[in-house]
Amino acid sequence: MIKEIKLPEIADNVTSAVVLDILVSEGDKVSADDILAEMESDKASFELPSDFDGVVKEVKVSVGNEVKVGQVMFTIDTSGEGEGEKKEEKKDKAEAVDSEKEEKTDEKKEKKAEDEKDESDEDSRDEEKSEPETPDQKSDADEITSDKPAAHIPASPAVRRLAREIGVDITKVKGTGPSDRVTETDVKAFAKKQLQSRPAGAGMVADDYKLPDFSKQGNIRREKMDTIRKITARAMAGSWQSIPHVFQFDKADVTELEKFRKDYSKYVEKQGAKLTVTAILLKLTAEALRKFPKFNASVDMKNEEIIYKDYVNIGVAVDTDRGLLVPVIRDADKKSITELSIELNEMAEKARTKKIKPDELQGANFTISNLGGIGGTSFTPIVNRPAVAILGVSRSQMEPVFIDGEFKPRMMLPLSLSYDHRLIDGADGARFLRWLCEAMQNPLVTMF
Ligand code: CAO
């Protein structure tokens, strides 16, 4: 008897759903409640189970199809004849192949053996609390490359679902069950091995995205990443993936500050440095970090603790020939603007001339990234963990600002603050940045 599997009613006002994945092929034996397809409506993702035991006679939809409620997606032969037909076909096509009956018996045995194996694995894990498996113990779950589409890899729907849920490409898993059937244990061992074989942090960069063959479009050239690029790529991807970022923007009126800077730059020059906006920002940010200690902290999610630091170390992003380097100005709150200017000049020079030492690049609680020397109206820098915030500085320019009933030309400096929302809330972020803007407008604010 042929039974139809239709898209059922999912929820009020949902009339259709899209096929995300099809987990069976025509000729597959299924049991009631085995998952046939994964679907997604505009309300939710869900699995479509079989209502019957039998053999999949027809798959009437493809991945990506939009299916209407009530539309037939699969037909299931529940009479057992479908199995017979398939058996005959196989016999005719390849006499060398075992009879379908044996295959089906094998399949039953395989399933039983696999279930028993999986169950006993579970039991031994639960009851005996045995040592975790090492990758070597599971070396039979090596990576393979199969040309077969995922739907043709021998595995139960539950195993396929597990593979999808934990991000394992089932075509790469070597099945250790009878007739190379992929078992739940194979999938778990494969996932574990993949994780263990990655160098720390590599998972953040070496993603599974398959690049297209660019040479089809024209000539290409491949170049190895240098160490700085690799470190930056890992650090930035790691920060971006682990930190829920929020970005806050503001503008500081630096008209008066610019006058001050020009007036005092000669004094600082005499000491051998240049008084720049970055040095002034270093001073004011150090004050802000004292006033708002959360911005000078780190998050320890493992222990669910916040680590407040009594020292104020600020990293400054420096653009070098080799890429981005972030030397750290230690105890910035204890230094004068002149001292900070001198140290910033020295550090930037060392970074650019490859003289910077590794420990001079470590230990920042906060970072300042000033791109204003190059240009731009705003940008959103990535928080450099384990810090929880970073200040982005764009190019200051004269703007008409409406003050006391009239527009006045003012030098405005755009600032952006990126912060970790696990620790810092929106109001904290807005207050921190506003305070910094006000401190630039009127440095007396820092006295209060
Ligand atoms: N707005 C307008 N002008 C600015 C400015 C700003 N926000 N910041 C700097 N300037 C001006 C300076 O006044 C200076 O002008 P003059 O030559 O006329 O005096 C010029 O730009 C160059 O400044 P500088 O770079 O010598 O000095 P600095 O202290 O302002 O900056 C440093 C030092 C190390 C921050 C900077 O050189 C640098 O490397 N910036 C790049 C940071 C970076 O790459 N960030 C990205 C990180 S995320 O990928």
Side-chain angles (χ1 to χ4, degrees):
M1 196 171 202
I2 306 299
K3 300 273 191 187
E4 292 177 332
I5 305 284
K6 298 175 182 172
L7 181 66
E9 282 194 15
I10 310 143
D12 290 346
N13 303 324
V14 175
T15 54
S16 66
V18 173
V19 183
L20 289 184
D21 204 357
I22 295 174
L23 309 181
V24 290
S25 307
E26 289 174 4
D28 279 0
K29 196 178 172 205
V30 290
S31 307
D33 292 334
D34 276 356
I35 307 302
L36 304 177
E38 286 201 337
M39 309 293 296
E40 186 175 64
S41 73
D42 52 3
K43 295 242 164 104
S45 302
F46 59 96
E47 294 169 331
L48 182 80
S50 172
D51 297 329
F52 317 99
D53 293 342
V55 172
V56 179
K57 180 126 180 95
E58 284 171 294
V59 177
K60 289 171 148 306
V61 290
S62 309
V63 171
N65 283 173
E66 185 168 358
V67 182
K68 296 221 154 32
V69 169
Q71 186 178 329
V72 178
M73 295 179 62
F74 300 90
T75 56
I76 308 285
D77 185 347
T78 57
S79 61
E81 284 162 20
E83 250 175 277
E85 278 164 27
K86 192 182 165 209
K87 180 176 76 181
E88 288 310 314
E89 257 175 49
K90 285 202 171 177
K91 258 188 181 172
D92 291 345
K93 276 182 193 162
E95 285 182 3
V97 175
D98 290 341
S99 73
E100 176 70 5
K101 209 171 180 177
E102 282 165 359
E103 196 182 316
K104 293 293 166 191
T105 317
D106 275 354
E107 211 172 287
K108 272 187 190 160
K109 278 185 196 159
E110 284 163 23
K111 184 140 182 30
K112 202 167 173 248
E114 184 189 320
D115 290 347
E116 280 170 5
K117 188 164 181 275
D118 290 348
E119 266 170 34
S120 77
D121 282 351
E122 285 297 333
D123 289 350
S124 56
R125 267 194 293 276
D126 290 345
E127 289 166 18
E128 294 165 25
K129 305 232 181 306
S130 59
E131 286 294 306
E133 297 146 347
T134 65
D136 290 341
Q137 282 171 300
K138 281 285 160 193
S139 59
D140 50 357
D142 284 341
E143 181 171 326
I144 54 156
T145 308
S146 171
D147 294 338
K148 288 184 197 168
H152 294 165
I153 299 290
S156 70
V159 170
R160 288 174 199 286
R161 188 167 65 236
L162 171 73
R164 263 194 324 283
E165 280 171 2
I166 61 175
V168 165
D169 178 355
I170 203 161
T171 62
K172 293 200 169 136
V173 182
K174 186 172 176 235
T176 60
S179 309
D180 296 337
R181 196 176 178 83
V182 176
T183 66
E184 187 182 325
T185 315
D186 294 335
V187 171
K188 285 182 181 167
F190 182 85
K192 201 168 169 184
K193 202 169 177 186
Q194 265 192 328
L195 277 178
Q196 286 171 337
S197 64
R198 282 180 189 173
M204 302 302 181
V205 184
D207 57 34
D208 291 334
Y209 176 67
K210 203 169 169 236
L211 288 169
D213 181 0
F214 297 109
S215 64
K216 283 188 183 157
Q217 314 295 328
N219 283 343
I220 58 161
R221 179 172 60 86
R222 277 182 175 266
E223 200 176 78
K224 281 276 169 223
M225 284 185 181
D226 61 26
T227 312
I228 292 181
R229 183 50 45 208
K230 280 191 271 187
I231 291 171
T232 305
R234 283 188 187 138
M236 292 298 103
S239 285
W240 183 248
Q241 288 182 8
S242 61
I243 296 177
H245 279 69
V246 180
F247 308 103
Q248 174 74 22
F249 304 93
D250 212 329
K251 274 183 184 175
D253 184 335
V254 292
T255 319
E256 303 307 321
L257 194 80
E258 274 299 288
K259 283 186 196 151
F260 165 87
R261 194 172 70 85
K262 278 180 189 139
D263 289 348
Y264 280 84
S265 63
K266 284 193 191 89
Y267 169 76
V268 177
E269 265 166 39
K270 273 189 202 152
Q271 320 279 318
K274 194 173 160 191
L275 179 58
T276 63
V277 71
T278 314
I280 296 171
L281 266 168
L282 261 169
K283 180 72 194 163
L284 296 176
T285 304
E287 296 290 337
L289 293 176
R290 279 265 170 239
K291 190 162 179 61
F292 300 90
K294 262 192 193 176
F295 288 79
N296 197 42
S298 284
V299 180
D300 178 356
M301 284 312 293
K302 259 191 210 144
N303 296 304
E304 295 179 332
E305 286 173 354
I306 301 162
I307 304 163
Y308 291 97
K309 297 154 202 169
D310 280 340
Y311 51 89
V312 177
N313 292 350
I314 302 180
V316 180
V318 177
D319 176 34
T320 78
D321 289 348
R322 297 176 293 154
L324 169 69
L325 286 175
V326 187
V328 180
I329 311 287
R330 285 168 212 283
D331 299 317
D333 57 326
K334 298 192 177 121
K335 293 174 180 166
S336 69
I337 290 188
T338 308
E339 286 170 325
L340 291 170
S341 301
I342 294 167
E343 196 170 332
L344 174 62
N345 274 17
E346 282 172 3
M347 286 294 204
E349 185 61 16
K350 276 192 193 176
R352 289 185 176 126
T353 55
K354 301 187 187 175
K355 289 188 183 134
I356 197 102
K357 297 191 195 107
D359 66 327
E360 290 174 315
L361 298 168
Q362 278 158 19
N365 304 348
F366 185 94
T367 309
I368 297 176
S369 175
N370 179 11
L371 287 175
I374 302 169
T377 54
S378 64
F379 70 109
T380 53
I382 295 177
V383 175
N384 195 9
R385 61 177 183 176
V388 290
I390 180 169
L391 181 72
V393 187
S394 295
R395 191 177 193 81
S396 58
Q397 60 178 10
M398 293 301 284
E399 285 178 15
V401 179
F402 202 65
I403 302 169
D404 297 335
E406 57 177 318
F407 281 106
K408 293 188 177 154
R410 307 294 294 176
M411 180 66 85
M412 302 301 289
L413 178 71
L415 298 174
S416 50
L417 178 75
S418 312
Y419 60 86
D420 184 338
H421 204 345
R422 290 176 304 172
L423 178 60
I424 296 164
D425 294 327
D428 299 327
R431 269 185 220 113
F432 181 92
L433 198 55
R434 192 84 288 277
W435 187 91
L436 207 51
C437 289
E438 278 166 21
M440 295 192 93
Q441 281 159 219
N442 182 3
L444 274 179
V445 166
T446 58
M447 307 283 179
F448 295 97

